Amino acid sequence: MADVLCVGGTGTVGRRVVEGLVARGVSVRCLTRSADRADTSDERVEFMQGDLERPDMLAPALDGVSRMHLLTALHPREAQLGIGAVDAAAQAGVERIVFHSAHRAHAAPHIPHFASKMEILAALEASGVPWATIEPNHYFQNDLWLRRSLEAGAYPAPLGGVGLHRVDVRDIADATVNALLDDGHEGIRHPVVGPELLTSADVVRTWSEHLDREVEYVGDDLDAWEARAGRHLPDWLVRDLRIMSEYFLSDGLIATEEDFATMSHVLGHAPRVFEDFVAETVAAWR
């Protein structure tokens, strides 16, 4: 019998949430599309292969579960799939849902997957199930996908010069675990952000210092970015991410003082800083 169902528990954020729950003595069931990514070494974690596109799998996954972490993957029907999961959880009598949304999604509903998050939130609010959201900014760990480019001296991800309060995935997981297990978080939309406003210049300067080589920022050329992304991502996702990137370049993704105050309640410690992440990463690469 599992205490918490983690939907997407083997991904970048999800697996750290699972680790955090287990560290708190909680038994976990993971619904995952990728059985090959499941770590079956811990008997407190049960894996079920499936995804939200198979609604028939949700009832057995939710059987006996008291709380659910809902992390919806980017998908052309993300809103529909997420709403289906909320409905299934309500029917199963789940006592709390913590939904992984996006920082300031309400401010940019023209970004398709931000709009999907807001539709799922509306379903949560109407479900009758106690809920909380975790709304993270751009992940530090997205840079791990850029290793080859960084070591060749280029940073190709679109960040721009306005700045983002980028955040460590470990902080996202910590906040999620607290929202799932502790009292006092229900009905709250929790921003999870880093302590510094990071521009593209800040990011490449930090990577340059720790890699001991000059790293050039080339992310503002969205046509070049789109051409690269189109080689390995579906067209609908490239369009979605391009719209998001245009927003980053024009508006950034900036936290408010209210965001920091709200986050402090759920995070419980100071947020991690980008330079520490880069230093740890370069040391691991070497």
Side-chain angles (χ1 to χ4, degrees):
M1 192 73 72
D3 299 306
V4 178
L5 173 67
C6 288
V7 177
T10 56
T12 301
V13 174
R15 65 182 177 84
R16 290 176 171 88
V17 172
V18 171
E19 291 166 1
L21 290 168
V22 169
R24 294 274 300 265
V26 173
S27 61
V28 182
R29 180 180 295 147
C30 289
L31 184 69
T32 177
R33 293 173 297 175
S34 306
D36 57 326
R37 297 175 67 182
D39 179 1
T40 57
S41 62
D42 194 321
E43 62 183 14
R44 292 170 295 184
V45 183
E46 172 192 0
F47 289 93
M48 294 182 66
Q49 186 167 8
D51 60 52
L52 300 183
E53 294 185 80
R54 292 281 307 276
D56 57 304
M57 293 180 168
L58 286 173
L62 287 160
D63 183 40
V65 164
S66 63
R67 302 184 182 193
M68 177 171 75
H69 177 221
L70 177 58
L71 195 162
T72 52
L74 295 176
H75 191 281
R77 295 186 296 115
E78 180 180 355
Q80 178 184 343
L81 299 178
I83 291 167
V86 170
D87 291 344
Q91 292 172 19
V94 168
E95 299 168 8
R96 185 183 303 178
I97 299 171
V98 174
F99 171 51
H100 182 101
S101 185
H103 185 223
R104 298 191 58 76
H106 63 282
H110 65 288
I111 301 171
H113 71 276
F114 280 27
S116 294
K117 308 296 188 195
M118 299 311 297
E119 290 184 57
I120 297 168
L121 174 60
L124 274 173
E125 293 174 330
S127 70
V129 180
W131 60 270
T133 65
I134 297 295
E135 305 188 353
N137 204 284
H138 191 272
Y139 307 168
F140 293 168
Q141 280 77 3
N142 288 343
D143 288 2
L144 298 177
W145 298 100
L146 307 178
R147 178 177 180 176
R148 184 176 297 179
S149 295
L150 284 164
E151 292 183 335
Y155 188 97
L159 296 182
V162 179
L164 300 85
H165 275 98
R166 302 184 68 196
V167 65
D168 196 298
V169 162
R170 292 168 291 186
D171 290 341
I172 302 169
D174 290 346
T176 301
V177 169
N178 292 339
L180 281 163
L181 302 184
D182 298 339
D183 294 331
H185 301 299
E186 293 174 5
I188 298 175
R189 296 176 56 183
H190 300 89
V192 185
V193 297
E196 309 156 290
L197 184 65
L198 296 167
T199 66
S200 55
D202 299 323
V203 168
V204 296
R205 181 174 60 251
T206 304
W207 279 112
S208 297
E209 289 171 356
H210 288 275
L211 287 169
D212 295 322
R213 64 160 304 149
E214 189 68 27
V215 176
E216 180 186 5
Y217 174 67
V218 295
D220 284 358
D221 186 345
L222 293 183
D223 291 337
W225 174 88
E226 186 172 348
R228 289 191 302 270
R231 298 181 196 131
H232 56 89
L233 295 177
D235 290 346
W236 66 266
L237 182 53
V238 173
R239 286 194 298 272
D240 190 328
L241 296 179
R242 171 152 185 158
I243 294 167
M244 182 181 71
S245 297
E246 290 169 347
Y247 181 71
F248 286 172
L249 299 191
S250 64
D251 290 69
L253 196 59
I254 300 173
T256 65
E257 289 303 316
E258 182 180 1
D259 289 340
F260 285 109
T262 305
M263 179 179 71
S264 66
H265 174 60
V266 74
L267 184 55
H269 60 74
R272 292 170 171 89
V273 300
F274 182 65
E275 183 162 11
D276 290 346
F277 160 75
V278 172
E280 294 166 9
T281 299
V282 171
W285 287 350
R286 288 177 173 164

